[in-house]
Amino acid sequence: MTKRPLPWRDAWEQALYADGGFFRRSRPAEHFRTSAHVGEFAGAMAELVRRSAAPTVVDLGAGGGELLAALRPLVGDAVELVGVELADRPTGLPASIGWLSTLPDHVDGLLIANEWLDNIPCDIVEVAGDGVIREVLVDPATGEETLGDPYDSPWLRDWWPVAEPGERAEVGAARDAAWSGAVSRVSGTAVAIDYGHTLADRPPFGTLRSYAAGREVDVIPDGSRDVTAHVAIDSVAAVTGGHTLRQREALSTLGLDASCPPIDLARSDPAGYLQKLAAAGEVGELIARGGLGDFWWLVTDTTGHGTLAP
Ligand SMILES: C[S@@+](CC[C@H](N)C(=O)[O-])C[C@H]1O[C@@H](n2cnc3c(N)ncnc32)[C@H](O)[C@@H]1O
């Protein structure tokens, strides 16, 4: 019988990834929309593939394979495309796209992880009324929280110091380790894309959230909903190296443009005009302030080519 309450990290891990867990039995697109679900995003990735001359693209946490399926016609058959995903291979995915449950030992080319790090479970801590930092425990069935043992770690002290009663932190050490482990396998470029924060703007009460069926819902690690928290992107960057930029800057560098097509085109080429208008709308969504445009890109070039260097 499961012991309750559990440390948040254990409850989170079970809720998302155990047999029957949220990501084992449902696809992200059934519950929320990511950049990978917006067609123009693949165009930017295709440009990144071209600039980095990547022979292989590996999408870590590939979800329903949407990004790779959209990339396939844009990059040509010579580029190997591989999804790495705990969930089963999606039906209907083009046969030329590989599908693995674990990351290969070596990635020669481009490694992409869009909204992967935010789903890596973290320890969660809170400053109790007496000023002691304690681990937060949670009942997986109800989401009810209690405070456990005192908690201290070098990561917490260095990257997310908390002191005032009620302040919380999501301890990102597991994410730093996960992404640096992935990047260490890459000869080429690794790009982690996620919502996040830096030391200058950590949210005092944390960012733990749940989503299901297109809505934000109560945070409960019961396997019926996503559990996610923003990424301390600066701590990840400190272990992997590389540089950070916002998604709107990255996409602009890769040639995406949200400008509307000239109105004259509506008369000379109505179909072309509508196509360009739809594309501009998608780019607008991908670069929106307060939305996907605020996402961080952490770009690490392990061979020193500098594909998206500032
Ligand atoms: C938020 S979804 C993002 C999906 C997709 N990248 C997108 O942007 O739409 C996170 C995905 O990562 C997968 N995942 C999490 N940990 C994983 C791991 N260690 N190996 C493979 N897939 C993993 C989950 O199953 C889930 O499909």
mmCIF file of all heavy atoms in Angstrom, residues 16-17 23-24 26 28-29 32 34-37 59-64 66 84-87 100-103 113-116 118-120 226, ligand 1:
data_model
loop_
_atom_site.group_PDB
_atom_site.id
_atom_site.type_symbol
_atom_site.label_atom_id
_atom_site.label_comp_id
_atom_site.label_asym_id
_atom_site.label_seq_id
_atom_site.Cartn_x
_atom_site.Cartn_y
_atom_site.Cartn_z
ATOM 1 N N LEU A 16 2.850 11.009 -13.280
ATOM 2 C CA LEU A 16 3.072 11.193 -14.726
ATOM 3 C C LEU A 16 3.584 9.937 -15.416
ATOM 4 O O LEU A 16 3.207 9.667 -16.564
ATOM 5 C CB LEU A 16 4.073 12.332 -14.969
ATOM 6 C CG LEU A 16 3.685 13.735 -14.517
ATOM 7 C CD1 LEU A 16 4.655 14.757 -15.109
ATOM 8 C CD2 LEU A 16 2.258 14.095 -14.887
ATOM 9 N N TYR A 17 4.444 9.180 -14.727
ATOM 10 C CA TYR A 17 5.234 8.184 -15.468
ATOM 11 C C TYR A 17 5.068 6.735 -15.029
ATOM 12 O O TYR A 17 5.592 5.838 -15.700
ATOM 13 C CB TYR A 17 6.720 8.566 -15.399
ATOM 14 C CG TYR A 17 6.973 9.972 -15.891
ATOM 15 C CD1 TYR A 17 7.563 10.932 -15.085
ATOM 16 C CD2 TYR A 17 6.576 10.349 -17.177
ATOM 17 C CE1 TYR A 17 7.777 12.228 -15.541
ATOM 18 C CE2 TYR A 17 6.782 11.636 -17.636
ATOM 19 C CZ TYR A 17 7.388 12.572 -16.815
ATOM 20 O OH TYR A 17 7.582 13.842 -17.266
ATOM 21 N N PHE A 23 1.206 10.596 -18.627
ATOM 22 C CA PHE A 23 1.843 10.604 -19.957
ATOM 23 C C PHE A 23 1.975 9.210 -20.559
ATOM 24 O O PHE A 23 2.360 9.072 -21.723
ATOM 25 C CB PHE A 23 3.213 11.280 -19.890
ATOM 26 C CG PHE A 23 3.130 12.782 -19.856
ATOM 27 C CD1 PHE A 23 3.790 13.507 -18.879
ATOM 28 C CD2 PHE A 23 2.392 13.483 -20.799
ATOM 29 C CE1 PHE A 23 3.722 14.895 -18.848
ATOM 30 C CE2 PHE A 23 2.314 14.868 -20.774
ATOM 31 C CZ PHE A 23 2.981 15.576 -19.795
ATOM 32 N N ARG A 24 1.691 8.178 -19.784
ATOM 33 C CA ARG A 24 1.703 6.817 -20.338
ATOM 34 C C ARG A 24 0.417 6.524 -21.112
ATOM 35 O O ARG A 24 0.387 5.704 -22.009
ATOM 36 C CB ARG A 24 1.833 5.784 -19.217
ATOM 37 C CG ARG A 24 3.117 5.885 -18.450
ATOM 38 C CD ARG A 24 4.174 5.034 -19.098
ATOM 39 N NE ARG A 24 5.388 5.034 -18.303
ATOM 40 C CZ ARG A 24 6.507 4.466 -18.699
ATOM 41 N NH1 ARG A 24 6.578 3.871 -19.868
ATOM 42 N NH2 ARG A 24 7.567 4.501 -17.941
ATOM 43 N N SER A 26 -2.020 9.137 -22.030
ATOM 44 C CA SER A 26 -2.623 10.198 -22.856
ATOM 45 C C SER A 26 -1.528 11.039 -23.500
ATOM 46 O O SER A 26 -0.408 11.095 -22.996
ATOM 47 C CB SER A 26 -3.583 11.070 -22.044
ATOM 48 O OG SER A 26 -2.890 11.814 -21.069
ATOM 49 N N PRO A 28 0.071 14.680 -24.858
ATOM 50 C CA PRO A 28 0.012 16.085 -24.451
ATOM 51 C C PRO A 28 -1.050 16.887 -25.214
ATOM 52 O O PRO A 28 -1.781 17.690 -24.607
ATOM 53 C CB PRO A 28 1.421 16.594 -24.754
ATOM 54 C CG PRO A 28 2.299 15.375 -24.683
ATOM 55 C CD PRO A 28 1.454 14.225 -25.119
ATOM 56 N N ALA A 29 -1.174 16.648 -26.536
ATOM 57 C CA ALA A 29 -2.096 17.467 -27.346
ATOM 58 C C ALA A 29 -3.562 17.288 -26.943
ATOM 59 O O ALA A 29 -4.401 18.124 -27.267
ATOM 60 C CB ALA A 29 -1.923 17.137 -28.829
ATOM 61 N N PHE A 32 -3.180 20.089 -23.677
ATOM 62 C CA PHE A 32 -2.677 21.468 -23.778
ATOM 63 C C PHE A 32 -1.952 21.634 -25.106
ATOM 64 O O PHE A 32 -1.645 20.649 -25.778
ATOM 65 C CB PHE A 32 -1.760 21.828 -22.595
ATOM 66 C CG PHE A 32 -0.727 20.791 -22.268
ATOM 67 C CD1 PHE A 32 0.487 20.766 -22.923
ATOM 68 C CD2 PHE A 32 -0.966 19.818 -21.299
ATOM 69 C CE1 PHE A 32 1.442 19.810 -22.636
ATOM 70 C CE2 PHE A 32 -0.012 18.849 -20.998
ATOM 71 C CZ PHE A 32 1.185 18.850 -21.663
ATOM 72 N N THR A 34 1.234 23.112 -27.240
ATOM 73 C CA THR A 34 2.635 23.538 -27.139
ATOM 74 C C THR A 34 3.072 24.109 -28.491
ATOM 75 O O THR A 34 2.361 23.974 -29.497
ATOM 76 C CB THR A 34 3.560 22.348 -26.785
ATOM 77 O OG1 THR A 34 3.661 21.492 -27.932
ATOM 78 C CG2 THR A 34 3.043 21.546 -25.602
ATOM 79 N N SER A 35 4.271 24.659 -28.515
ATOM 80 C CA SER A 35 4.799 25.182 -29.780
ATOM 81 C C SER A 35 4.847 24.093 -30.848
ATOM 82 O O SER A 35 4.665 24.369 -32.040
ATOM 83 C CB SER A 35 6.214 25.734 -29.582
ATOM 84 O OG SER A 35 6.208 26.830 -28.707
ATOM 85 N N ALA A 36 5.083 22.853 -30.418
ATOM 86 C CA ALA A 36 5.192 21.748 -31.378
ATOM 87 C C ALA A 36 3.883 21.518 -32.124
ATOM 88 O O ALA A 36 3.870 20.878 -33.169
ATOM 89 C CB ALA A 36 5.613 20.468 -30.650
ATOM 90 N N HIS A 37 2.783 22.047 -31.578
ATOM 91 C CA HIS A 37 1.477 21.866 -32.226
ATOM 92 C C HIS A 37 1.153 23.009 -33.187
ATOM 93 O O HIS A 37 0.084 23.027 -33.789
ATOM 94 C CB HIS A 37 0.365 21.756 -31.169
ATOM 95 C CG HIS A 37 0.649 20.717 -30.126
ATOM 96 N ND1 HIS A 37 0.267 20.846 -28.810
ATOM 97 C CD2 HIS A 37 1.312 19.539 -30.208
ATOM 98 C CE1 HIS A 37 0.673 19.788 -28.129
ATOM 99 N NE2 HIS A 37 1.314 18.982 -28.948
ATOM 100 N N ASP A 59 14.133 14.303 -31.000
ATOM 101 C CA ASP A 59 13.167 15.092 -30.229
ATOM 102 C C ASP A 59 12.913 14.341 -28.925
ATOM 103 O O ASP A 59 12.266 13.288 -28.921
ATOM 104 C CB ASP A 59 11.877 15.244 -31.045
ATOM 105 C CG ASP A 59 10.856 16.141 -30.353
ATOM 106 O OD1 ASP A 59 11.171 16.720 -29.290
ATOM 107 O OD2 ASP A 59 9.728 16.259 -30.889
ATOM 108 N N LEU A 60 13.442 14.870 -27.832
ATOM 109 C CA LEU A 60 13.328 14.198 -26.524
ATOM 110 C C LEU A 60 12.029 14.625 -25.843
ATOM 111 O O LEU A 60 11.785 15.813 -25.655
ATOM 112 C CB LEU A 60 14.539 14.577 -25.661
ATOM 113 C CG LEU A 60 14.562 14.064 -24.223
ATOM 114 C CD1 LEU A 60 14.410 12.551 -24.146
ATOM 115 C CD2 LEU A 60 15.853 14.504 -23.535
ATOM 116 N N GLY A 61 11.214 13.654 -25.466
ATOM 117 C CA GLY A 61 9.878 13.944 -24.942
ATOM 118 C C GLY A 61 9.002 14.375 -26.109
ATOM 119 O O GLY A 61 8.421 15.454 -26.113
ATOM 120 N N ALA A 62 8.932 13.497 -27.117
ATOM 121 C CA ALA A 62 8.345 13.873 -28.415
ATOM 122 C C ALA A 62 6.824 13.925 -28.406
ATOM 123 O O ALA A 62 6.218 14.306 -29.415
ATOM 124 C CB ALA A 62 8.836 12.911 -29.495
ATOM 125 N N GLY A 63 6.190 13.533 -27.306
ATOM 126 C CA GLY A 63 4.729 13.627 -27.207
ATOM 127 C C GLY A 63 4.057 12.789 -28.273
ATOM 128 O O GLY A 63 4.272 11.580 -28.378
ATOM 129 N N GLY A 64 3.257 13.430 -29.120
ATOM 130 C CA GLY A 64 2.565 12.725 -30.203
ATOM 131 C C GLY A 64 3.340 12.763 -31.506
ATOM 132 O O GLY A 64 2.790 12.413 -32.560
ATOM 133 N N GLU A 66 4.326 15.356 -33.161
ATOM 134 C CA GLU A 66 3.828 16.402 -34.070
ATOM 135 C C GLU A 66 4.961 17.179 -34.733
ATOM 136 O O GLU A 66 4.911 17.475 -35.937
ATOM 137 C CB GLU A 66 2.914 17.384 -33.318
ATOM 138 C CG GLU A 66 1.620 16.787 -32.788
ATOM 139 C CD GLU A 66 1.745 16.155 -31.395
ATOM 140 O OE1 GLU A 66 2.891 16.034 -30.890
ATOM 141 O OE2 GLU A 66 0.719 15.771 -30.826
ATOM 142 N N VAL A 84 12.058 10.418 -29.027
ATOM 143 C CA VAL A 84 12.316 9.655 -27.797
ATOM 144 C C VAL A 84 11.175 9.968 -26.852
ATOM 145 O O VAL A 84 10.939 11.140 -26.511
ATOM 146 C CB VAL A 84 13.671 10.049 -27.172
ATOM 147 C CG1 VAL A 84 13.873 9.309 -25.856
ATOM 148 C CG2 VAL A 84 14.806 9.749 -28.139
ATOM 149 N N GLU A 85 10.455 8.942 -26.482
ATOM 150 C CA GLU A 85 9.208 9.188 -25.746
ATOM 151 C C GLU A 85 8.832 7.941 -24.936
ATOM 152 O O GLU A 85 8.950 6.820 -25.430
ATOM 153 C CB GLU A 85 8.106 9.537 -26.775
ATOM 154 C CG GLU A 85 6.723 9.699 -26.255
ATOM 155 C CD GLU A 85 6.570 10.660 -25.081
ATOM 156 O OE1 GLU A 85 6.890 11.855 -25.211
ATOM 157 O OE2 GLU A 85 6.122 10.191 -24.016
ATOM 158 N N LEU A 86 8.396 8.170 -23.704
ATOM 159 C CA LEU A 86 7.976 7.051 -22.842
ATOM 160 C C LEU A 86 6.694 6.412 -23.353
ATOM 161 O O LEU A 86 6.476 5.219 -23.153
ATOM 162 C CB LEU A 86 7.752 7.566 -21.411
ATOM 163 C CG LEU A 86 9.002 8.056 -20.684
ATOM 164 C CD1 LEU A 86 8.618 8.741 -19.381
ATOM 165 C CD2 LEU A 86 9.951 6.895 -20.416
ATOM 166 N N ALA A 87 5.844 7.219 -23.967
ATOM 167 C CA ALA A 87 4.581 6.673 -24.492
ATOM 168 C C ALA A 87 4.834 5.924 -25.793
ATOM 169 O O ALA A 87 5.859 6.114 -26.458
ATOM 170 C CB ALA A 87 3.582 7.814 -24.724
ATOM 171 N N LEU A 100 11.938 5.812 -30.120
ATOM 172 C CA LEU A 100 12.649 5.071 -29.076
ATOM 173 C C LEU A 100 12.101 5.462 -27.702
ATOM 174 O O LEU A 100 11.566 6.555 -27.531
ATOM 175 C CB LEU A 100 14.147 5.421 -29.099
ATOM 176 C CG LEU A 100 14.902 5.184 -30.415
ATOM 177 C CD1 LEU A 100 16.315 5.767 -30.308
ATOM 178 C CD2 LEU A 100 14.953 3.692 -30.712
ATOM 179 N N SER A 101 12.288 4.570 -26.735
ATOM 180 C CA SER A 101 11.817 4.901 -25.380
ATOM 181 C C SER A 101 12.929 5.516 -24.526
ATOM 182 O O SER A 101 12.662 6.062 -23.459
ATOM 183 C CB SER A 101 11.248 3.663 -24.689
ATOM 184 O OG SER A 101 12.246 2.668 -24.631
ATOM 185 N N THR A 102 14.161 5.414 -24.984
ATOM 186 C CA THR A 102 15.262 6.055 -24.248
ATOM 187 C C THR A 102 16.193 6.765 -25.233
ATOM 188 O O THR A 102 16.284 6.396 -26.410
ATOM 189 C CB THR A 102 16.097 5.025 -23.446
ATOM 190 O OG1 THR A 102 16.562 4.025 -24.347
ATOM 191 C CG2 THR A 102 15.283 4.380 -22.335
ATOM 192 N N LEU A 103 16.895 7.741 -24.700
ATOM 193 C CA LEU A 103 17.815 8.531 -25.527
ATOM 194 C C LEU A 103 18.977 7.647 -25.997
ATOM 195 O O LEU A 103 19.545 6.907 -25.193
ATOM 196 C CB LEU A 103 18.343 9.689 -24.672
ATOM 197 C CG LEU A 103 18.963 10.888 -25.358
ATOM 198 C CD1 LEU A 103 17.989 11.557 -26.312
ATOM 199 C CD2 LEU A 103 19.426 11.892 -24.294
ATOM 200 N N ALA A 113 14.425 19.493 -26.961
ATOM 201 C CA ALA A 113 13.529 19.065 -25.879
ATOM 202 C C ALA A 113 12.568 20.221 -25.605
ATOM 203 O O ALA A 113 12.912 21.170 -24.895
ATOM 204 C CB ALA A 113 14.317 18.718 -24.623
ATOM 205 N N ASN A 114 11.388 20.139 -26.221
ATOM 206 C CA ASN A 114 10.401 21.202 -26.030
ATOM 207 C C ASN A 114 9.437 20.806 -24.922
ATOM 208 O O ASN A 114 8.766 19.781 -25.014
ATOM 209 C CB ASN A 114 9.620 21.430 -27.334
ATOM 210 C CG ASN A 114 8.713 22.654 -27.241
ATOM 211 O OD1 ASN A 114 9.199 23.763 -27.041
ATOM 212 N ND2 ASN A 114 7.410 22.445 -27.350
ATOM 213 N N GLU A 115 9.384 21.626 -23.890
ATOM 214 C CA GLU A 115 8.522 21.360 -22.722
ATOM 215 C C GLU A 115 8.774 19.963 -22.144
ATOM 216 O O GLU A 115 7.844 19.228 -21.840
ATOM 217 C CB GLU A 115 7.039 21.555 -23.073
ATOM 218 C CG GLU A 115 6.708 22.993 -23.431
ATOM 219 C CD GLU A 115 5.248 23.345 -23.188
ATOM 220 O OE1 GLU A 115 4.652 22.806 -22.245
ATOM 221 O OE2 GLU A 115 4.713 24.184 -23.946
ATOM 222 N N TRP A 116 10.027 19.608 -22.015
ATOM 223 C CA TRP A 116 10.407 18.343 -21.381
ATOM 224 C C TRP A 116 10.853 18.596 -19.935
ATOM 225 O O TRP A 116 10.422 17.918 -19.007
ATOM 226 C CB TRP A 116 11.526 17.688 -22.194
ATOM 227 C CG TRP A 116 12.021 16.397 -21.629
ATOM 228 C CD1 TRP A 116 11.324 15.222 -21.547
ATOM 229 C CD2 TRP A 116 13.313 16.132 -21.073
ATOM 230 N NE1 TRP A 116 12.113 14.253 -20.964
ATOM 231 C CE2 TRP A 116 13.343 14.789 -20.673
ATOM 232 C CE3 TRP A 116 14.459 16.908 -20.873
ATOM 233 C CZ2 TRP A 116 14.465 14.192 -20.082
ATOM 234 C CZ3 TRP A 116 15.578 16.310 -20.298
ATOM 235 C CH2 TRP A 116 15.573 14.975 -19.908
ATOM 236 N N ASP A 118 10.146 20.903 -17.796
ATOM 237 C CA ASP A 118 9.131 21.340 -16.809
ATOM 238 C C ASP A 118 8.367 20.157 -16.224
ATOM 239 O O ASP A 118 7.701 20.293 -15.199
ATOM 240 C CB ASP A 118 8.145 22.327 -17.444
ATOM 241 C CG ASP A 118 7.336 21.693 -18.563
ATOM 242 O OD1 ASP A 118 7.832 21.625 -19.701
ATOM 243 O OD2 ASP A 118 6.215 21.231 -18.290
ATOM 244 N N ASN A 119 8.438 19.012 -16.900
ATOM 245 C CA ASN A 119 7.750 17.810 -16.405
ATOM 246 C C ASN A 119 8.685 16.879 -15.632
ATOM 247 O O ASN A 119 8.277 15.775 -15.269
ATOM 248 C CB ASN A 119 7.105 17.042 -17.559
ATOM 249 C CG ASN A 119 5.813 17.674 -18.029
ATOM 250 O OD1 ASN A 119 5.645 17.941 -19.207
ATOM 251 N ND2 ASN A 119 4.899 17.914 -17.117
ATOM 252 N N ILE A 120 9.922 17.295 -15.424
ATOM 253 C CA ILE A 120 10.811 16.471 -14.584
ATOM 254 C C ILE A 120 10.534 16.812 -13.129
ATOM 255 O O ILE A 120 10.644 17.971 -12.713
ATOM 256 C CB ILE A 120 12.280 16.713 -14.959
ATOM 257 C CG1 ILE A 120 12.505 16.187 -16.380
ATOM 258 C CG2 ILE A 120 13.209 16.031 -13.954
ATOM 259 C CD1 ILE A 120 13.917 16.170 -16.839
ATOM 260 N N ASP A 226 -1.816 16.739 -15.879
ATOM 261 C CA ASP A 226 -0.408 17.096 -15.955
ATOM 262 C C ASP A 226 0.019 17.746 -14.638
ATOM 263 O O ASP A 226 -0.805 18.381 -13.958
ATOM 264 C CB ASP A 226 -0.230 18.088 -17.117
ATOM 265 C CG ASP A 226 1.224 18.407 -17.406
ATOM 266 O OD1 ASP A 226 2.095 17.631 -16.997
ATOM 267 O OD2 ASP A 226 1.476 19.445 -18.052
HETATM 268 C C1 LIG B 1 4.850 18.416 -22.003
HETATM 269 S S1 LIG B 1 5.078 17.009 -22.982
HETATM 270 C C2 LIG B 1 5.857 17.775 -24.395
HETATM 271 C C3 LIG B 1 5.647 17.006 -25.663
HETATM 272 C C4 LIG B 1 6.226 17.657 -26.925
HETATM 273 N N1 LIG B 1 7.654 17.861 -26.821
HETATM 274 C C5 LIG B 1 5.533 18.952 -27.220
HETATM 275 O O1 LIG B 1 6.172 20.003 -27.129
HETATM 276 O O2 LIG B 1 4.353 18.928 -27.537
HETATM 277 C C6 LIG B 1 6.419 16.136 -22.218
HETATM 278 C C7 LIG B 1 6.650 14.767 -22.825
HETATM 279 O O3 LIG B 1 7.887 14.244 -22.354
HETATM 280 C C8 LIG B 1 7.746 12.852 -22.192
HETATM 281 N N2 LIG B 1 8.805 12.389 -21.292
HETATM 282 C C9 LIG B 1 9.042 12.771 -20.033
HETATM 283 N N3 LIG B 1 10.145 12.174 -19.538
HETATM 284 C C10 LIG B 1 10.647 11.403 -20.528
HETATM 285 C C11 LIG B 1 11.770 10.558 -20.669
HETATM 286 N N4 LIG B 1 12.640 10.393 -19.659
HETATM 287 N N5 LIG B 1 11.988 9.933 -21.824
HETATM 288 C C12 LIG B 1 11.114 10.098 -22.851
HETATM 289 N N6 LIG B 1 10.024 10.893 -22.796
HETATM 290 C C13 LIG B 1 9.790 11.542 -21.655
HETATM 291 C C14 LIG B 1 6.349 12.697 -21.644
HETATM 292 O O4 LIG B 1 5.856 11.386 -21.795
HETATM 293 C C15 LIG B 1 5.588 13.737 -22.466
HETATM 294 O O5 LIG B 1 5.060 13.186 -23.648
#
